Amino acid sequence: METNEYEEFVDKCWGGHDRQYTAIAFGGEVGEVLNEVKKELRDGKDRSYNVLYELGDALYYLTKLGSQYGFTLEAIMNANVKKLSERRSIQERSS
């Protein structure tokens, strides 16, 4: 699936909440990812399947939150690559 196809899918599923709600929901889903990792550490059992689904939920809200701010997933990814590349460049020069 391409990023634009996923964005269209999210738009079709969306319930019409505002940015504040979306941001809080995104944070909640990130917390659920962390909770699965915690359970994995505590129980010593692989929870990869659960993490996959919680990451998907986080992606859903991340996608919509970005859209509500006028950003596509592609724009978010490109901005992140640029930021991390610049950071890496600075770190390499200071080494």
Side-chain angles (χ1 to χ4, degrees), residues 3-85:
T3 58
N4 64 321
E5 294 172 311
Y6 184 73
E7 290 164 331
E8 290 172 10
F9 172 77
V10 168
D11 283 343
K12 287 177 186 173
C13 295
W14 190 244
H17 303 290
D18 64 14
R19 292 191 303 203
Q20 186 178 20
Y21 175 91
T22 309
I24 292 166
F26 173 60
E29 294 301 336
V30 170
E32 290 192 30
V33 171
L34 294 171
N35 197 41
E36 290 300 329
V37 173
K38 175 200 74 176
K39 290 176 183 177
E40 195 171 64
L41 289 169
R42 179 191 66 203
D43 301 338
K45 295 180 182 173
D46 180 39
R47 297 189 64 89
S48 299
Y49 193 73
N50 298 67
V51 170
L52 172 66
Y53 280 96
E54 296 304 339
L55 286 170
D57 289 344
L59 178 62
Y60 173 79
Y61 285 107
L62 171 67
T63 301
K64 191 59 191 179
L65 186 60
S67 173
Q68 289 172 324
Y69 277 93
F71 304 121
T72 64
L73 279 176
E74 185 174 4
I76 294 167
M77 292 185 303
N78 287 334
N80 187 249
V81 166
K82 182 177 187 285
K83 179 183 87 171
L84 294 176
S85 296

